[in-house]
Amino acid sequence: MRYIETLREGERINEIYLCKNKQPSVTKAGKPFVSLTMQDKTGTLDAKIWDPGSLGIDDFEKLDYLNVVGDVTSFQGSLQLNIKRIRKAQPGEYDPKEFLPVSRYDTDQMYAKLMEIIRRIENPYLKQLTMDFFGNTKFQEAFQFHSAAKTMHHGFVGGLLQHTLGVAKLCESYAAQYDILNRDLLVTAAVFHDVGKLKELSRFPENDYTDAGQLLGHIIIGAQMLTERIRQIPDFPKKLADELIHCILAHHGELEYGSPKKPALAEAVALSFADNMDAKMEALEEAFVNIPEGNTDWLGFHRSFESNIRKTSIL
């Protein structure tokens, strides 16, 4: 099997991939074409069927496993597949495990590192709250498998864990640098800040918004999950609970970015910066993943950065 990350411009391929997205469209001249996102465990690849009515283009739907024959080209600095023939793959021709995008890091090792951070929490109420979730085997399995987003960043198996660990590590460093920050509160908020995504997004291979995700969003869902559990912990201080929930509600930093509240605590400010930093760095990683080594061409406008981006030159 040729994994997407190994493909190079100029190659003709005959491989099976998962059709992550399918979007019929028309060119400026009014000619129909189909835009696809093909996926395997190493990443995604933009693909086009420029002549969807031609012989050899069979019917298929989104989330089908497809055998594609096509040419690997380059468009605006990124690889693209021009499909010549396509058909639905038959059971036995593929292993579904090969087609789920996965974190480049081992999920068991990441979870162990996250638990090390959690065990350093000293406040007994916050320690119990975190262990009630992260010490639960069923929760651990779901958290390790889930993504952190549909498309923007960390949209792969282990993505939620990778992002959470990254944010928690940044928050630990912030707490060490700035005495104004309450480490236990900040770290607890970090490990829980995206917990609502377990219910906002469905499991792979769909990895799409649930009804609750569409109606409420992960911020509100996460706040509800924590509030429900906090009520079951005897004598959990109300002020501490309010401060923790505020950090969750404000972690996107701005109202226009989906936060119901703007940060009003030092810990909420720090969390919003850590969340944004880790998300932006991963977005760059993902933007560069299919760029050939040594290519420092400008890649075009990237909406996350509102800027034309490229890789740093290596001298």
Side-chain angles (χ1 to χ4, degrees), residues 122-142:
E122 296 180 355
N123 181 281
Y125 299 102
L126 297 178
K127 171 68 74 73
Q128 181 176 345
L129 180 64
T130 52
M131 291 304 297
D132 282 352
F133 282 88
F134 290 89
N136 180 283
T137 302
K138 186 176 180 180
F139 178 88
Q140 175 181 346
E141 179 183 355

Side-chain angles (χ1 to χ4, degrees), residues 16-311:
I16 294 175
Y17 298 114
L18 174 66
C19 178
K20 181 65 175 177
N21 287 301
K22 175 184 180 183
Q23 182 63 54
S25 190
V26 294
T27 65
K28 292 181 179 179
K31 184 178 179 180
F33 73 97
V34 181
S35 182
L36 309 175
T37 301
M38 310 306 291
Q39 175 179 292
D40 67 17
K41 69 179 183 180
T42 68
T44 60
L45 177 66
D46 181 49
K48 297 290 189 291
I49 303 175
W50 295 112
D51 190 5
S54 66
L55 186 67
I57 304 298
D58 293 350
D59 292 335
F60 66 93
E61 299 297 335
K62 173 183 173 180
L63 298 182
D64 282 342
Y65 292 91
L66 304 174
N67 179 253
V68 295
V69 176
D71 299 318
V72 181
T73 63
S74 180
F75 179 71
Q76 293 185 342
S78 296
L79 295 182
Q80 185 178 91
L81 179 64
N82 289 341
I83 295 175
K84 306 301 182 182
R85 296 196 304 275
I86 192 167
R87 66 172 177 83
K88 291 177 64 173
Q90 300 301 309
E93 289 189 280
Y94 60 89
D95 180 355
K97 294 180 181 178
E98 296 290 333
F99 299 91
L100 298 181
V102 296
S103 171
R104 57 189 177 276
Y105 304 111
D106 181 86
T107 56
D108 288 334
Q109 293 179 5
M110 285 194 292
Y111 203 86
K113 291 179 181 178
L114 186 62
M115 290 301 296
E116 289 176 6
I117 293 174
I118 289 172
R119 291 189 182 99
R120 288 195 287 270
I121 296 173
E122 296 180 355
N123 181 281
Y125 299 102
L126 297 178
K127 171 68 74 73
Q128 181 176 345
L129 180 64
T130 52
M131 291 304 297
D132 282 352
F133 282 88
F134 290 89
N136 180 283
T137 302
K138 186 176 180 180
F139 178 88
Q140 175 181 346
E141 179 183 355
F143 199 84
Q144 286 189 229
F145 188 77
H146 222 76
S147 78
K150 180 179 177 182
T151 56
M152 291 297 291
H153 66 90
H154 296 90
F156 43 77
V157 173
L160 178 58
L161 172 57
Q162 181 180 321
H163 176 54
T164 299
L165 177 61
V167 173
K169 289 167 68 176
L170 285 171
C171 286
E172 275 206 315
S173 69
Y174 293 170
Q177 178 69 24
Y178 303 106
D179 292 339
I180 192 175
L181 295 171
N182 180 310
R183 181 202 174 276
D184 283 357
L185 175 60
L186 178 56
V187 168
T188 301
V191 301
F192 280 123
H193 81 283
D194 271 352
V195 71
K197 289 186 175 180
L198 290 171
K199 297 182 180 180
E200 180 186 47
L201 295 167
S202 58
R203 287 170 62 89
F204 281 101
E206 292 83 5
N207 192 42
D208 206 348
Y209 290 102
T210 63
D211 284 348
Q214 293 281 12
L215 294 171
L216 302 177
H218 73 278
I219 293 178
I220 297 298
I221 294 171
Q224 290 176 336
M225 291 170 67
L226 290 187
T227 300
E228 179 180 346
R229 183 57 200 162
I230 285 171
R231 288 176 180 151
Q232 300 174 35
I233 299 176
D235 302 320
F236 197 106
K238 184 180 185 306
K239 182 174 287 188
L240 179 60
D242 289 344
E243 291 172 345
L244 176 59
I245 297 302
H246 170 76
C247 290
I248 303 301
L249 294 177
H251 81 262
H252 278 188
E254 300 289 344
L255 302 179
E256 57 264 38
Y257 298 154
S259 277
K261 296 291 291 183
K262 293 189 68 172
L265 301 173
E267 292 79 14
V269 173
L271 176 60
S272 69
F273 281 122
D275 178 49
N276 189 49
M277 169 65 79
D278 191 72
K280 290 293 178 59
M281 290 299 102
E282 179 61 26
L284 284 172
E285 288 265 10
E286 294 174 18
F288 295 156
V289 69
N290 288 324
I291 307 303
E293 187 175 353
N295 184 346
T296 58
D297 293 340
W298 291 97
L299 304 182
F301 183 84
H302 194 295
R303 62 175 178 165
S304 290
F305 304 98
E306 298 183 348
S307 175
N308 192 4
I309 63 172
R310 69 166 172 83
K311 279 187 173 182

